[in-house]
Amino acid sequence: DVKVTQSSRYLVKRTGEKVFLECVQDMDHENMFWYRQDPGLGLRLIYFSYDVKMKEKGDIPEGYSVSREKKERFSLILESASTNQTSMYLCASSLRGGEAFFGQGTRLTVV
Amino acid sequence: GQSLEQPSEVTAVEGAIVQINCTYQTSGFYGLSWYQQHDGGAPTFLSYNALDGLEETGRFSSFLSRSDSYGYLLLQELQMKDSASYFCAVRPPNKFYFGSGTKLNVKP
């Protein structure tokens, strides 16, 4: 069974903290993605990576960075967490086709 | 840039057929995907159309017209468990862009 695993299901962090969200896939996929999901806004692309050490900005990269040192792992970093980054964060991976596999999501609350 | 339009909410009765439309604008297009998401769950893949026409997978079918930048998801013999949000997503190179989702309410 294919699997995308996110390190935490729920996180509570303080404003100004540096936050790391980890994602691991076991399918040898080239492409990995980070989305945030907010009510009524769907899934918005933050960053994606199509190869190790390669990354590109999505639609809303401000306040975030990413790291992909190994093919199976894609990390999202909130440099200085703010309350407007309270959201559900979803990691996904895919090959070149139309199917993306999602992790279970991390619900982040910044207080 | 890209944009996707889909209805925000649809209600139908058990056993009925429902169609969820999606129109899109994107620079670079490989195909259109559909995902289902139950409350509290992760999106799961339903179907993908790279070429014009209808793709059928059990009770679900998906259609694409590239010339019209339009697709739809057709759900037949609706069941209560089909109550969920449905997202269309366009596939330019190396990424997916999602619509804002259609909440489907299935009533007895």
Side-chain angles (χ1 to χ4, degrees):
Chain A
D1 232 7
V2 296
K3 202 147 185 168
V4 179
T5 304
Q6 294 183 227
S7 52
S8 304
R9 194 74 199 266
Y10 299 94
L11 270 181
V12 180
K13 295 292 181 180
R14 295 194 179 279
T15 302
E17 274 193 81
K18 191 168 186 175
V19 181
F20 294 84
L21 302 183
E22 308 285 345
C23 175
V24 177
Q25 51 100 358
D26 65 358
M27 296 164 283
D28 204 35
H29 286 171
E30 297 109 350
N31 302 315
M32 296 189 75
F33 315 89
W34 276 105
Y35 293 89
R36 65 175 283 177
Q37 184 173 26
D38 301 287
L41 297 179
L43 284 75
R44 292 182 291 165
L45 183 62
I46 305 171
Y47 267 96
F48 66 100
S49 168
Y50 51 89
D51 202 351
V52 176
K53 296 193 187 293
M54 305 302 288
K55 58 190 178 187
E56 284 197 26
K57 295 178 181 179
D59 289 337
I60 51 164
E62 296 78 18
Y64 304 96
S65 62
V66 290
S67 171
R68 193 164 181 203
E69 296 296 317
K70 293 186 177 181
K71 192 174 186 180
E72 67 269 20
R73 187 179 297 268
F74 192 36
S75 303
L76 179 70
I77 303 147
L78 286 68
E79 299 292 342
S80 176
S82 64
T83 54
N84 63 11
Q85 293 178 309
T86 291
S87 186
M88 171 68 85
Y89 289 87
L90 289 161
C91 174
S93 72
S94 79
L95 288 170
R96 293 187 191 89
E99 183 173 3
F101 297 85
F102 283 84
Q104 77 276 27
T106 297
R107 185 164 294 281
L108 173 68
T109 303
V110 182
V111 298
Chain B
Q2 64 290 318
S3 69
L4 296 96
E5 296 283 338
Q6 52 181 128
S8 59
E9 194 162 352
V10 172
T11 299
V13 296
E14 210 173 359
I17 299 173
V18 72
Q19 179 173 313
I20 299 173
N21 298 321
C22 175
T23 57
Y24 60 87
Q25 282 185 305
T26 184
S27 49
F29 179 79
Y30 283 1
L32 186 73
S33 302
W34 289 92
Y35 291 79
Q36 179 191 61
Q37 186 180 31
H38 286 100
D39 283 347
T44 56
F45 172 80
L46 292 176
S47 68
Y48 177 62
N49 294 70
L51 303 174
D52 284 1
L54 193 68
E55 295 279 342
E56 296 181 69
T57 310
R59 293 187 297 114
F60 294 0
S61 303
S62 58
F63 172 82
L64 174 65
S65 168
R66 295 171 72 109
S67 60
D68 295 323
S69 297
Y70 165 75
Y72 65 73
L73 180 69
L74 191 74
L75 297 86
Q76 302 182 72
E77 301 171 19
L78 280 175
Q79 301 175 9
M80 297 299 294
K81 67 178 182 179
D82 297 329
S83 291
S85 293
Y86 293 83
F87 295 88
C88 58
V90 293
R91 183 78 160 105
N94 295 324
K95 55 198 169 206
F96 295 88
Y97 286 108
F98 286 78
S100 54
T102 299
K103 187 171 176 58
L104 172 62
N105 303 301
V106 181
K107 299 196 168 182

